Amino acid sequence: MPKTKESPGSLLLEFIDKYDLNCNRLSKEIKCSQTALRLISLDKSRITTSIAVRLAKYFSTKPEFWLLAQMDYDLAKATANKSLEKALKGISKAVKSR
């Protein structure tokens, strides 16, 4: 995967560190599962819209900040996927009909 895209999990960990938190305390503050936050921080789960809205409220950001980070990361992973690259070579472009 390209090294230019920071994972949403590492981004979350930066915020946790910046605000001197841990996953347990943050989960209580934003009223969500501690397991969900831990899995996100380990890049084993995605940031959902519900989590993005909660993080945005707590950290005074926008939900789009978190969702775009997730989308950028997902796209970077997809473009680095050799199976997908091979499949894309066999897909032609749509042609408009009159």
Side-chain angles (χ1 to χ4, degrees), residues 63-76:
E64 293 86 351
F65 171 80
W66 298 99
L67 293 172
L68 287 172
Q70 183 66 60
M71 183 184 68
D72 287 347
Y73 181 72
D74 291 346
L75 286 171

Side-chain angles (χ1 to χ4, degrees), residues 15-80:
F15 273 78
I16 286 172
D17 185 53
K18 179 179 178 181
Y19 289 89
D20 198 26
L21 298 166
N22 58 44
C23 284
N24 184 43
R25 184 164 159 224
L26 179 58
S27 71
K28 289 176 183 176
E29 293 288 339
I30 67 171
K31 298 174 179 34
C32 80
S33 159
Q34 179 182 350
T35 302
L37 289 183
R38 287 205 188 281
L39 290 173
I40 291 168
S41 72
L42 295 169
D43 296 321
K44 294 185 181 223
S45 187
R46 302 177 78 252
I47 293 180
T48 63
T49 53
S50 175
I51 297 288
V53 170
R54 293 164 192 256
L55 292 171
K57 169 80 173 176
Y58 187 73
F59 290 119
S60 299
T61 60
K62 293 185 177 194
E64 293 86 351
F65 171 80
W66 298 99
L67 293 172
L68 287 172
Q70 183 66 60
M71 183 184 68
D72 287 347
Y73 181 72
D74 291 346
L75 286 171
K77 280 179 40 178
T79 57

Side-chain angles (χ1 to χ4, degrees), residues 77-91:
K77 280 179 40 178
T79 57
N81 182 316
K82 297 297 178 189
S83 297
L84 178 59
E85 185 180 327
K86 185 177 178 183
L88 290 174
K89 289 181 181 177
I91 299 174

